[in-house]
Amino acid sequence: MLQDSFGRVATDLRVSLTDRCNLRCSYCMPPEGLEWLPNPELLTADEIVRLVTIGVERLGITEVRYTGGEPLLRRELVDIVTRTTALGPTPQVSLTTNGIGLSRMAASLAAAGLHRVNVSLDTLDRETFKKLAHRDRLADVLAGLEAAHASGLRPVKVNAVLMRGINDHEAVPLLRYCLEREYELRFIEQMPLDAQHGWRRENMITADEILVRLQAAFDLTDADPVERGSAPAELFLVKGGPARVGVIGSVTRPFCGACDRVRLTADGQIRNCLFATDESDLRSAMRSGASDDEIVERWRSAVRIKKAGHGIDDPTFLQPSRPMSAIGG
Ligand code: SAM
């Protein structure tokens, strides 16, 4: 098991397959992009599968989420998913993507055994999309969502980040759009994880604000809190259900006490928290011949020292040097 000193057990592994992305969402990276990791520093597909196998077979990982950067940019994605879903015990395998290219790949991913997909969609307006993501790709994202649904991936989840003065008037239209298509929408509070270090608490649209906007248009009731478990989203039934909407108040309603996540970056570093400032280097260990037992021990030690909380509200809070795209959201 991967247990920390507060008794939390990590069972949900987020694996970044690349730090590259084909969008430039302003809450994540600057319009000119970032200096990407050099290819030799990226884990190979075999190295990723080796670590995921150790996680699942030796360390109690039950869920594996592939993310990035943009995971659809990783050529071996279908192969990696196929090899992950073939593991025993079979973990839940999901993907977080911006949806660009998903219209081509959704069927092969479903055939590879992918269980679920989360697609990021912050706006339904083409001009706003261009302003926010610095690319004219809204139509591709919407087509990707449709293809995921048509391929039988369920539930199709949608992640939205609202930014003041840019897309914060779209909470209601986004929810309406998702309800009509049976996608499950989750709003995520913007976190201080942008490469430009431009996050300001006062500019963030809070979970409270999101709920006020939604409640003006929809009848929302708390979904059974027991069901939430370690899930970051607070879930609400829309018009009594079964349709639901989630709000992830990472900053104003932190859920660190129930956190069951651990992250593996594209260059093979274990991070015990999104906001961790320390990492544990499994890539160097692997490349210098470490045995599975040695990797197990390093991984356990990395999780053992996880802090009680992300500390965003602490005056000593330091934003991690890696932005979200290089950590894996
Ligand atoms: N490229 C993929 C995508 O767009 O979903 C996967 C990686 S992206 C980093 C994963 C999720 O993190 C997206 O839903 C994105 O909106 C979210 N995200 C990125 N930066 C964020 C920030 N500063 N605060 C909150 N969410 C953020």
Side-chain angles (χ1 to χ4, degrees):
M1 277 207 313
L2 288 167
Q3 188 164 20
D4 66 39
S5 62
F6 299 94
R8 294 168 298 189
V9 178
T11 53
D12 181 344
L13 173 63
R14 311 266 159 134
V15 182
S16 173
L17 296 181
T18 173
D19 59 328
R20 289 166 196 253
C21 193
N22 39 12
L23 294 182
R24 300 285 181 270
C25 303
S26 52
Y27 47 72
C28 193
M29 64 170 87
E32 65 276 16
L34 296 167
E35 200 171 309
W36 310 123
L37 289 166
N39 276 337
E41 289 186 17
L42 295 181
L43 294 183
T44 64
D46 285 346
E47 287 171 332
I48 292 167
V49 174
R50 177 175 176 205
L51 291 178
V52 170
T53 305
I54 291 173
V56 170
E57 293 184 350
R58 307 268 313 264
L59 291 168
I61 294 296
T62 56
E63 283 189 60
V64 179
R65 174 182 299 267
Y66 289 113
T67 178
E70 176 42 51
L72 292 181
L73 295 178
R74 182 86 194 214
R75 267 184 292 126
E76 310 98 323
L77 175 63
V78 172
D79 171 53
I80 291 170
V81 169
T82 304
R83 293 163 74 189
T84 309
T85 55
L87 293 175
T90 310
Q92 282 288 310
V93 186
S94 57
L95 182 74
T96 299
T97 169
N98 62 29
I100 296 171
L102 193 56
S103 57
R104 274 183 291 105
M105 290 186 63
S108 351
L109 286 166
L114 185 76
H115 297 108
R116 287 192 292 103
V117 71
N118 280 46
V119 179
S120 304
L121 173 70
D122 301 321
T123 176
L124 294 165
D125 179 77
R126 185 174 168 187
E127 290 308 314
T128 307
F129 191 97
K130 283 200 272 182
K131 191 166 159 195
L132 203 157
H134 297 96
R135 297 287 185 275
D136 187 9
R137 307 299 296 269
L138 175 62
D140 298 290
V141 177
L142 300 182
L145 270 165
E146 255 177 55
H149 197 261
S151 303
L153 296 168
R154 292 287 186 285
V156 172
K157 292 190 187 173
V158 172
N159 293 345
V161 176
L162 296 181
M163 299 180 78
R164 202 174 296 286
I166 298 178
N167 63 340
D168 58 321
H169 56 290
E170 289 198 67
V172 169
L174 277 166
L175 181 52
R176 202 162 277 136
Y177 184 89
C178 290
L179 292 173
E180 283 165 8
R181 289 159 182 81
E182 296 180 348
Y183 309 153
E184 208 172 292
L185 176 62
R186 274 139 173 66
F187 291 98
I188 311 176
E189 279 180 348
Q190 188 187 347
M191 295 177 276
L193 286 171
D194 57 313
Q196 316 86 301
H197 290 225
W199 181 88
R200 298 287 172 274
R201 196 188 178 97
E202 57 278 15
N203 290 342
M204 179 185 67
I205 304 288
T206 63
D208 284 354
E209 285 179 89
I210 295 164
L211 284 169
V212 165
R213 282 160 211 219
L214 296 179
Q215 276 156 344
F218 300 96
D219 167 28
L220 299 186
T221 46
D222 276 347
D224 183 1
V226 176
E227 209 189 313
R228 182 173 180 192
S230 58
E234 279 178 69
L235 288 175
F236 300 88
L237 300 177
V238 185
K239 291 185 216 144
R244 303 188 299 184
V245 61
V247 178
I248 304 183
S250 321
V251 178
T252 64
R253 302 177 178 197
F255 34 85
C256 304
C259 179
D260 62 357
R261 274 164 279 282
V262 59
R263 291 181 153 79
L264 176 65
T265 64
D267 56 349
Q269 311 298 307
I270 288 289
R271 297 178 62 88
N272 58 26
C273 172
L274 257 184
F275 295 94
T277 45
D278 294 324
E279 301 180 335
S280 179
D281 184 1
L282 294 192
R283 186 195 62 203
S284 301
M286 259 193 307
R287 290 187 183 173
S288 53
S291 65
D292 285 4
D293 284 346
E294 284 163 335
I295 288 171
V296 161
E297 204 30 62
R298 265 182 188 249
W299 198 334
R300 281 206 182 112
S301 307
V303 170
R304 209 172 287 133
I305 55 171
K306 177 165 168 155
K307 292 189 177 150
H310 58 43
I312 295 176
D313 282 327
D314 192 302
T316 61
F317 174 73
L318 270 186
Q319 182 170 335
S321 51
R322 284 188 196 250
M324 186 68 133
S325 60
I327 296 173

